[in-house]
Amino acid sequence: MVELRELRPGDAPALPRIYTAEAVRYLGRPPMQRTEAVFRIRQALAPPAGLPRDHVLGITADGELVGTATLHQRSADTAAVSYLLRPDAWGRGYATHAVRHLLDLARRLGVSQVHARHHPDNPASGRVLTKVGFAPTGQHAGFPTYTAHLS
């Protein structure tokens, strides 16, 4: 069973297993270390005041944390989504489930427009986005871009 939930302090050991070199190769960042995992969880649980809220959720499959999904709220009516899965969780529908959940969350928050993009060498991510209702909108800085209108 796949579920999304708030991250917990006890998730810190699992995040580096998600943010591996293979998983982050399109993100332009190094693999995650344990100290960064602890910081990221603390930040997700107590976001800085006055900044737009990022809703960072853990993706669990059969109770095990296999990924993260984030709704980056940019304004009252605009947001973006991002997600990352452990490589052994790819191709099982978890990302599709997670993005649908993020769109439902965006609707509940009154967001009317959600944006996304993916690395051009990662077309599987584009398929996830179009499957859940995002429409291609072009490219920005070489990355395919998408928008979902929720109104």
Side-chain angles (χ1 to χ4, degrees), residues 40-64:
R40 182 172 164 93
I41 290 169
R42 283 186 188 144
Q43 192 175 38
L45 295 175
L51 296 176
R53 171 109 198 270
D54 282 350
H55 302 270
V56 184
L57 304 174
I59 304 168
T60 64
D62 299 321
E64 184 178 357

Side-chain angles (χ1 to χ4, degrees), residues 21-115:
E22 184 179 7
V24 301
R25 72 178 181 254
Y26 298 126
L27 301 181
R29 60 154 292 149
M32 184 178 284
Q33 301 298 317
R34 170 90 184 221
T35 20
E36 182 187 355
V38 170
F39 175 78
R40 182 172 164 93
I41 290 169
R42 283 186 188 144
Q43 192 175 38
L45 295 175
L51 296 176
R53 171 109 198 270
D54 282 350
H55 302 270
V56 184
L57 304 174
I59 304 168
T60 64
D62 299 321
E64 184 178 357
L65 192 67
V66 297
T68 61
T70 305
L71 181 70
H72 308 271
Q73 194 160 359
R74 302 294 182 223
S75 68
D77 61 352
T78 306
V81 297
S82 63
Y83 46 92
L84 187 71
L85 294 168
R86 280 186 343 211
D88 66 339
W90 293 348
R92 297 183 183 188
Y94 301 155
T96 301
H97 180 85
V99 175
R100 279 190 181 119
H101 183 90
L102 292 177
L103 290 177
D104 289 343
L105 174 59
R107 281 184 191 92
R108 289 192 306 272
L109 294 170
V111 171
S112 61
Q113 196 169 200
V114 180
H115 303 282

